[in-house]
């Protein structure tokens, strides 16, 4: 008898195929030395035994607008004409109701009422152009980005996209859906994902975790931005295409965007 593979959610099937092979890399920063931490047994017992995980996503409009502003400053810094170029971001969102979340143990029960797995969709958001607003008024730039994201989130487009992907999966299979997603990814300039993390400090084997973040690889885009909150602090991680994006200059412009917008907000 052929070995049975572990069941994978539709979203998981979309992200691992001949057309698209996505990896999620998580990094934990421990607060104390881990010389005596049983890494191998911890990974085996604490992670491999969990068949699924759920996450609360997507999108903080303000922080996204600030990142968009920093990216535009970087584009202008690299090539002044790029301030007029069209740039589109793909934002990952979760269409599942947060109230439906249950623990893994509850989800494994046969009479579980909650929806299994994440219901992930995406939406395209136009990155505002610097030519629309003068650099001296960055708050207007963020406001425009906020309004654009809010309008897309409140529309039926993201829910319809998810339903169409699942319909295509039933009719044509996961490979065709992966091909469609890959083509959509290539038509966007960057990908941005935002997750809400724990408000309280975590620990593994009694070793407190100081901070953690995640990033994505295996995508066809030149820039991937991931955002994660932990204990009230926000961590922004960038994954850039080597040889194409000057990551030092990009980080410098992102810091500049934060400083300018923070200064403007204080004076309002």
């Amino acid at each position: 008898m052929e070995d049975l593979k572990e069941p994978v959610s539709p979203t998981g099937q979309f992200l691992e195929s001949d057309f698209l092979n996505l990896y999620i890399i998580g990094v934990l920063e421990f607060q104390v030395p881990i010389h005596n931490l049983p890494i191998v047994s911890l990974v085996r017992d604490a992670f491999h035994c969990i068949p699924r995980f759920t996450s609360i996503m997507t999108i903080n409009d303000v922080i996204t607008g600030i990142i968009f502003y920093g990216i535009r400053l970087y584009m202008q810094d690299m090539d002044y004409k790029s301030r007029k170029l069209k740039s589109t971001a793909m934002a990952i969102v979760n269409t599942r109701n947060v109230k439906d979340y249950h623990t893994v143990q509850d989800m494994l029960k046969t009479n579980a009422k909650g929806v299994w797995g994440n219901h992930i969709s995406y939406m395209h958001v136009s990155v505002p152009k610097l030519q629309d607003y003068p650099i001296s008024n960055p708050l207007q730039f963020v406001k425009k980005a906020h309004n654009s994201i809010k309008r897309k989130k409140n529309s039926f487009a993201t829910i319809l996209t998810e339903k169409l992907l699942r319909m295509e999966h039933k009719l044509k299979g996961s490979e065709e859906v992966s091909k469609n997603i890959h083509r959509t990814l290539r038509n966007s300039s960057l990908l941005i994902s935002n997750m809400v993390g724990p408000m309280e400090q975590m620990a593994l084997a009694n070793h407190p975790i100081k901070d953690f973040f995640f990033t994505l690889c295996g995508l066809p885009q030149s820039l991937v931005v991931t955002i994660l909150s932990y204990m009230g602090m926000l961590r922004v991680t960038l994954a850039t295409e080597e040889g194409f994006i000057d990551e030092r200059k990009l980080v410098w412009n992102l810091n500049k965007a934060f400083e300018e917008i923070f200064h403007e907000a204080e004076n309002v």
Side-chain angles (χ1 to χ4, degrees):
M1 180 181 295
E2 184 180 356
D3 293 337
L4 296 178
K5 296 182 178 179
E6 181 184 357
V8 180
S9 65
T11 301
Q13 296 178 39
F14 303 160
L15 302 180
E16 185 177 4
S17 68
D18 293 336
F19 298 99
L20 185 63
N21 200 2
L22 173 66
Y23 293 90
I24 302 176
I25 302 175
V27 179
L28 301 178
E29 296 181 355
F30 288 90
Q31 190 168 331
V32 296
I34 58 173
H35 304 300
N36 299 324
L37 184 63
I39 296 294
V40 176
S41 61
L42 180 64
V43 171
R44 181 184 65 245
D45 299 334
F47 292 99
H48 285 184
C49 64
I50 302 178
R52 293 291 177 276
F53 71 93
T54 57
S55 56
I56 301 176
M57 302 177 66
T58 106
I59 290 295
N60 185 313
D61 302 348
V62 176
I63 187 65
T64 302
I66 296 174
I67 291 174
F68 283 175
Y69 182 64
I71 290 174
R72 277 298 187 186
L73 291 179
Y74 167 80
M75 294 173 65
Q76 176 183 260
D77 198 12
M78 298 298 292
D79 182 1
Y80 188 80
K81 295 180 180 179
S82 65
R83 62 190 282 119
K84 298 181 180 180
L85 296 180
K86 181 179 180 180
S87 182
T88 304
M90 175 183 281
I92 306 298
V93 295
N94 196 355
T95 60
R96 177 180 167 188
N97 193 334
V98 176
K99 295 181 180 179
D100 290 336
Y101 278 90
H102 297 272
T103 64
V104 174
Q105 290 75 17
D106 290 337
M107 295 297 292
L108 291 174
K109 298 178 181 178
T110 56
N111 60 346
K113 297 181 180 180
V115 180
W116 184 257
N118 289 318
H119 285 217
I120 298 175
S121 184
Y122 53 80
M123 62 181 182
H124 286 98
V125 180
S126 297
V127 180
K129 303 175 182 178
L130 284 182
Q131 67 171 0
D132 295 336
Y133 296 104
I135 296 180
S136 60
N137 196 353
L139 289 181
Q140 292 296 328
F141 183 99
V142 175
K143 183 177 180 180
K144 183 174 182 179
H146 164 75
N147 292 335
S148 176
I149 296 172
K150 183 178 180 180
R151 183 171 61 253
K152 291 291 182 67
K153 285 198 304 184
N154 294 334
S155 70
F156 191 67
T158 53
I159 299 177
L160 180 61
T161 297
E162 184 214 1
K163 293 185 179 297
L164 290 175
L165 290 176
R166 295 188 180 277
M167 184 181 299
E168 185 179 21
H169 175 249
K170 292 181 179 179
L171 297 176
K172 298 182 180 181
S174 58
E175 288 289 327
E176 286 298 320
V177 179
S178 298
K179 184 178 181 180
N180 184 8
I181 294 176
H182 186 272
R183 181 170 56 251
T184 304
L185 286 167
R186 290 188 63 88
N187 290 331
S188 59
S189 304
L190 66 133
L191 183 141
I192 185 167
S193 178
N194 181 20
M195 291 182 60
V196 179
M199 291 297 296
E200 298 180 354
Q201 189 173 33
M202 303 187 305
L204 288 177
N206 295 322
H207 285 66
I209 295 176
K210 179 182 179 181
D211 199 0
F212 75 99
F213 58 94
F214 77 103
T215 187
L216 310 174
C217 64
L219 297 172
Q221 280 137 329
S222 299
L223 177 60
V224 176
V225 182
T226 52
I227 308 168
L228 179 65
S229 62
Y230 178 53
M231 295 193 302
M233 299 294 292
L234 203 65
R235 172 69 72 93
V236 179
T237 307
L238 306 175
T240 62
E241 180 181 348
E242 185 177 4
F244 179 71
I245 293 181
D246 187 335
E247 62 273 9
R248 292 178 180 271
K249 187 170 291 187
L250 175 60
V251 171
W252 186 87
N253 279 283
L254 286 173
N255 288 329
K256 179 181 178 182
F258 275 94
E259 292 173 0
E260 287 187 10
I261 292 173
F262 180 77
H263 176 73
E264 290 292 330
E266 280 190 321
N267 295 329
V268 172

